[in-house]
Amino acid sequence: MGALEVSGWAVLIQLWTGSIGLNGPLLRSLSQSTEVVSVYRNIHASDYFVYAVDGEQVTCFDQLVPGTRWGSDPDRLIGKMHEVGLSWKGPGIDAPFPRSFALAKKIIGLSFSEDMLNTRLLGAAVRDR
């Protein structure tokens, strides 16, 4: 996993292995007194989006089925979801993973640019307990 700070946000990037982006206890801890947005994809292309605030998962969904949401306020992001094309009307969603990054950008206000991703990352190994 790698981490960098951009515009007051900590950006964590985990490639290919593990499921830190869906780890409930970790998300609760990271979101205490702040917000966390997790755009998750594993090697099997299972895609999830999690928005957590102050230790609570507020809005979560499978990116292929955004109409089925859960959390303490599953409808909080509906307007922003529609703006980026994460709509559940029609036969399917084109490019749900990039659209989920667009949703994250709307929430946190920063772009995931190539320059940002080419920045030196602080690395760490994280093990589940």
Side-chain angles (χ1 to χ4, degrees), residues 102-129:
L103 177 59
K105 179 182 176 182
K106 284 198 165 288
I107 294 168
I108 65 179
L110 66 94
S111 296
F112 299 95
S113 67
E114 187 172 334
D115 288 342
M116 180 187 81
L117 295 176
N118 287 331
T119 301
R120 175 173 268 160
L121 298 174
L122 174 65
V126 178
R127 288 186 241 162
D128 288 334
R129 294 179 197 185

Side-chain angles (χ1 to χ4, degrees), residues 57-81:
Q57 291 186 15
V58 176
T59 304
C60 311
F61 57 89
D62 179 327
Q63 294 173 42
L64 293 175
V65 192
T68 303
R69 296 174 307 285
W70 62 92
S72 62
D73 188 359
D75 296 337
R76 182 180 293 188
L77 302 176
I78 283 180
K80 288 179 173 59
M81 290 171 71

Side-chain angles (χ1 to χ4, degrees), residues 2-129:
L4 63 128
E5 182 182 345
V6 180
S7 302
W9 283 80
V11 177
L12 305 177
I13 300 170
Q14 178 188 18
L15 299 176
W16 307 119
T17 60
S19 58
I20 289 173
L22 295 178
N23 183 302
L26 181 61
L27 288 170
R28 275 191 295 282
S29 178
L30 289 174
S31 67
Q32 286 298 321
S33 302
T34 191
E35 299 171 82
V36 168
V37 177
S38 173
V39 180
Y40 172 83
R41 168 177 268 185
N42 70 14
I43 61 173
H44 305 292
S46 297
D47 303 341
Y48 293 93
F49 186 96
V50 178
Y51 175 61
V53 179
D54 202 19
E56 184 173 13
Q57 291 186 15
V58 176
T59 304
C60 311
F61 57 89
D62 179 327
Q63 294 173 42
L64 293 175
V65 192
T68 303
R69 296 174 307 285
W70 62 92
S72 62
D73 188 359
D75 296 337
R76 182 180 293 188
L77 302 176
I78 283 180
K80 288 179 173 59
M81 290 171 71
H82 283 290
E83 289 174 24
V84 300
L86 281 169
S87 174
W88 42 95
K89 296 177 182 172
I93 298 169
D94 180 37
F97 193 64
R99 291 178 191 277
S100 293
F101 271 101
L103 177 59
K105 179 182 176 182
K106 284 198 165 288
I107 294 168
I108 65 179
L110 66 94
S111 296
F112 299 95
S113 67
E114 187 172 334
D115 288 342
M116 180 187 81
L117 295 176
N118 287 331
T119 301
R120 175 173 268 160
L121 298 174
L122 174 65
V126 178
R127 288 186 241 162
D128 288 334
R129 294 179 197 185

